[in-house]
Amino acid sequence: MSGAWAWVILVALTLGSWLLFEQGIDAKFAATAVVIDAGVKVNIVISRFMELEWTPAPFRMLTALWALGAVAVIIGGYWF
Amino acid sequence: MRDASAAAALHRLPGDSGVWTFILADMAAFAMFFLVFALGRAASPELFEASRARLDPALGLANTLILLTSSYFMVRAVEAARRCDRQAVVRSLGLTMLVGSGFAVTKLAEYAAKADAGISILTNEFFTYYFAFTGIHFLHFLIGMAALAVMLAKARREDLDERFRTWIEATGCYWHMVDLLWIMLFPMLYLMRAS
């Protein structure tokens, strides 16, 4: 994925989360979806912009776990 | 165009280990912030929802798009440095800063609007976290802008050698960290409506 395509996807995901927020759909679904959307964006920034896709797997896994943990914690605080 | 072969050949962390130590420590600190916020929200959902509704999500959206676009120009600057294309490095770093400066404009406008509305860090628990987390993030943003200004000056007068490439990679990774932290703060603070 080129940097330009990564940017296009990141902007599309951001606008997608905005639509989820703005539309009158179920609030819990929308809130959960926008945080998962953010986690996906974080992983794109880490792998493509920070170029960690080229680094050894353990380091990539560490940063992916950070994103996963952040998403889980934020959603957990909302649901419970 | 992306210089993927150069990056692939490196098989190492971009920049240097020092900046990555800092980045990982910062990411760990923000993970704690997210946890503290989540616990607060779980304990006082009505207060957090009422306070969230007083934020302007359009400004949060604008800041997300600003940082994503600024980050993209940073990627182009690093790629240009690997090609030893000084003109492109200077242009891309300039665009990174120009677009990125929009973040300061909207953030300061947002803080001013909150002050006009009588909202401060002492208003309630939500706004304590809001001002603390976005304030610390804004400090990171200012440090990033200063680093970008230094790199822009270096790009104009110094050789685009291995040392310069290490510096610009490290600056880029730091700038992307500022971006990714905001990517998580945006939905957490602005978009998680309760109804």
Side-chain angles (χ1 to χ4, degrees):
Chain A
M1 189 198 312
S2 71
W5 271 112
W7 177 80
V8 168
I9 292 168
L10 288 164
V11 169
L13 287 170
T14 301
L15 296 177
S17 68
W18 180 256
L19 286 176
L20 283 168
F21 169 72
E22 284 280 279
Q23 300 301 315
I25 59 174
D26 179 71
K28 287 201 168 185
F29 170 78
T32 304
V34 297
V35 178
I36 292 172
D37 178 289
V40 172
K41 288 193 303 185
V42 162
N43 269 311
I44 293 173
V45 169
I46 287 172
S47 64
R48 179 56 196 94
F49 283 4
M50 296 172 118
E51 300 185 303
L52 290 200
E53 60 195 317
W54 309 112
T55 56
F59 200 86
R60 287 203 312 274
M61 284 180 63
L62 180 67
T63 53
L65 281 174
W66 181 89
L68 188 65
V71 167
V73 162
I74 294 170
I75 290 176
Y78 179 86
W79 278 86
F80 302 106
Chain B
M1 193 177 89
R2 177 175 190 207
D3 192 359
S5 59
L10 295 175
H11 280 288
R12 62 165 175 78
L13 286 174
D16 65 356
S17 58
V19 77
W20 278 102
T21 302
F22 185 81
I23 286 171
L24 291 179
D26 251 16
M27 288 172 71
F30 270 83
M32 287 296 106
F33 295 169
F34 300 154
L35 179 61
V36 168
F37 183 90
L39 292 173
R41 176 166 187 123
S44 312
E46 294 85 8
L47 171 73
F48 274 56
E49 173 58 15
S51 302
R52 182 205 63 75
R54 300 179 76 181
L55 298 180
D56 185 347
L59 289 178
L61 173 67
N63 274 337
T64 305
L65 296 173
I66 285 168
L67 288 183
L68 286 174
T69 306
S70 180
S71 258
Y72 169 62
F73 285 121
M74 188 71 232
V75 169
R76 294 186 60 136
V78 172
E79 290 173 354
R82 290 182 181 141
R83 297 194 307 271
C84 295
D85 184 343
R86 185 186 301 278
Q87 195 177 8
V89 172
V90 170
R91 184 175 60 244
S92 295
L93 281 176
L95 285 168
T96 302
M97 292 188 70
L98 180 66
V99 175
S101 62
F103 183 87
V105 173
T106 51
K107 204 80 210 112
L108 291 175
E110 191 176 11
Y111 284 155
K114 290 289 158 289
D116 287 345
I119 296 170
S120 76
I121 196 168
L122 300 176
T123 298
N124 60 34
E125 185 184 4
F126 175 91
F127 281 108
T128 298
Y129 296 147
Y130 165 79
F131 282 107
F133 300 166
T134 62
I136 291 168
H137 179 266
F138 191 64
L139 180 62
H140 284 74
F141 164 85
L142 293 176
I143 293 169
M145 288 291 277
L148 286 167
V150 170
M151 290 313 301
L152 185 57
K154 283 177 174 288
R156 285 198 170 111
R157 65 170 188 267
E158 293 186 8
D159 291 337
L160 303 185
D161 54 12
E162 187 63 36
R163 188 163 172 270
F164 178 85
R165 287 193 289 275
T166 299
W167 274 96
I168 197 168
E169 284 177 5
T171 305
C173 287
Y174 178 88
W175 192 241
H176 300 315
M177 180 200 71
V178 172
D179 186 10
L180 78 83
L181 293 177
W182 180 259
I183 285 173
M184 292 310 301
L185 286 172
F186 173 48
M188 184 181 84
L189 294 171
Y190 295 82
L191 298 186
M192 297 182 77
R193 58 183 168 82
S195 59

